[in-house]
Amino acid sequence: MLMHIENLSAGYGDLHVLEDVNLVVDSSEMVVLIGPNGAGKSTVLKSVYAMTTKTAGRILFDGIDITHLPTHGLIEQGVGYVPQGRQVFSSLTVEENLEIGGYLLDHKETCRANLQHVYETFPVLCEKRRELSGNLSGGQQQQLAIGRALMTQPKLLMLDEPSLGLSPKLMHEVFEVLKRLAQEGTALLIVEQNVRFALHYVDRGYLLAGGRIKVSGSASELAKEGVMQSAYLS
């Protein structure tokens, strides 16, 4: 397995959100985290990315304990993160945003190669590379946020609500790219509110409610009538 979250309890200071969470992501796999608002889905991603207070459990990545690694150490290990709301630097160009994503890369040739890979993955970013990112559409900004995270060639890419605010057409375009990334070897852990849509693309999923994993299984198992309803109400 690539990442294993074991018995994780975490929150923000004195606010406890997650309790005894266990979750696995394998290489080249798309895994979705679903559940009602306030369930703690985003907190799982933030806990991996050193943005919460962990009170119990551990996180293993590629055989290494990353539970208490700082963010730059996580990036170096191969963990990427696309937060909710895109958060691009609107006063910088598309290319400058991408270059910031690769700031930890010491080798200029590697940085250029990764930039070219991002442009091949998202051709519109290449077309608009000299434009200010604040002038991009919502869908283009989401592509830029994903592209920025890809600049370090992560083994695992975590995304928080990648379909938020996108039209159905753009949602499909973004998830088709994510599916292709998985096929090329990048593992994906995705928080998504559009459950039925996400289950059409992912391999497996976990349903989180009240800070605990209530149900886990394949996409087809989670999509069965009554599974999610009973878990949401339990």
Side-chain angles (χ1 to χ4, degrees):
M1 67 190 70
L2 181 63
M3 183 175 73
H4 188 187
I5 298 176
E6 295 181 338
N7 308 117
L8 178 67
S9 297
Y12 307 94
D14 294 330
L15 176 63
H16 301 290
V17 179
L18 303 178
E19 186 69 33
D20 200 27
V21 169
N22 289 274
L23 183 151
V24 170
V25 181
D26 289 325
S27 299
S28 304
E29 188 178 37
M30 291 181 73
V31 176
V32 69
L33 262 176
I34 58 177
N37 289 332
K41 303 184 298 298
S42 296
T43 302
V44 173
L45 304 191
K46 291 178 180 179
S47 293
V48 175
Y49 223 62
M51 299 168 67
T52 65
T53 304
K54 305 180 190 75
T55 56
R58 63 176 184 166
I59 303 168
L60 301 176
F61 183 78
D62 218 6
I64 297 171
D65 190 334
I66 63 168
T67 311
H68 300 295
L69 274 186
T71 298
H72 67 84
L74 294 165
I75 295 172
E76 291 170 351
Q77 288 297 325
V79 183
Y81 175 52
V82 180
Q84 186 181 108
R86 299 156 197 145
Q87 299 182 20
V88 300
F89 299 101
S90 59
S91 61
L92 301 180
T93 67
V94 167
E95 190 153 296
E96 287 169 339
N97 269 266
L98 294 173
E99 288 172 343
I100 287 174
Y103 77 98
L104 286 179
L105 299 174
D106 294 328
H107 197 273
K108 290 183 179 180
E109 288 300 321
T110 300
C111 190
R112 277 198 290 267
N114 291 358
L115 183 62
Q116 183 58 37
H117 180 257
V118 170
Y119 284 151
E120 290 170 357
T121 303
F122 298 108
V124 69
L125 299 183
C126 185
E127 296 169 13
K128 296 182 177 292
R129 61 188 181 278
R130 305 301 180 203
E131 290 191 29
L132 294 179
S133 62
N135 295 335
L136 300 180
S137 68
Q140 291 165 351
Q141 288 186 0
Q142 185 62 280
Q143 292 178 58
L144 178 56
I146 296 171
R148 188 173 60 201
L150 292 176
M151 282 294 293
T152 55
Q153 292 187 309
K155 299 175 186 177
L156 169 69
L157 181 60
M158 304 186 299
L159 305 102
D160 196 349
E161 300 283 5
S163 76
L164 185 67
L166 302 185
S167 68
K169 179 177 182 293
L170 287 174
M171 286 166 53
H172 281 286
E173 288 179 4
V174 167
F175 268 77
E176 285 294 338
V177 169
L178 297 179
K179 183 177 180 179
R180 189 164 71 247
L181 289 174
Q183 291 170 343
E184 293 172 353
T186 304
L188 299 166
L189 178 59
I190 305 167
V191 166
E192 184 55 63
Q193 281 288 358
N194 196 326
V195 175
R196 295 295 179 187
F197 176 81
L199 291 176
H200 178 72
Y201 283 93
V202 303
D203 301 297
R204 295 188 300 110
Y206 294 84
L207 193 151
L208 197 72
R212 292 178 177 269
I213 300 292
K214 299 294 186 180
V215 181
S216 65
S218 67
S220 59
E221 289 170 338
L222 290 178
K224 288 180 181 177
E225 185 175 356
V227 171
M228 286 182 289
Q229 292 92 325
S230 61
Y232 271 65
L233 294 173
S234 64

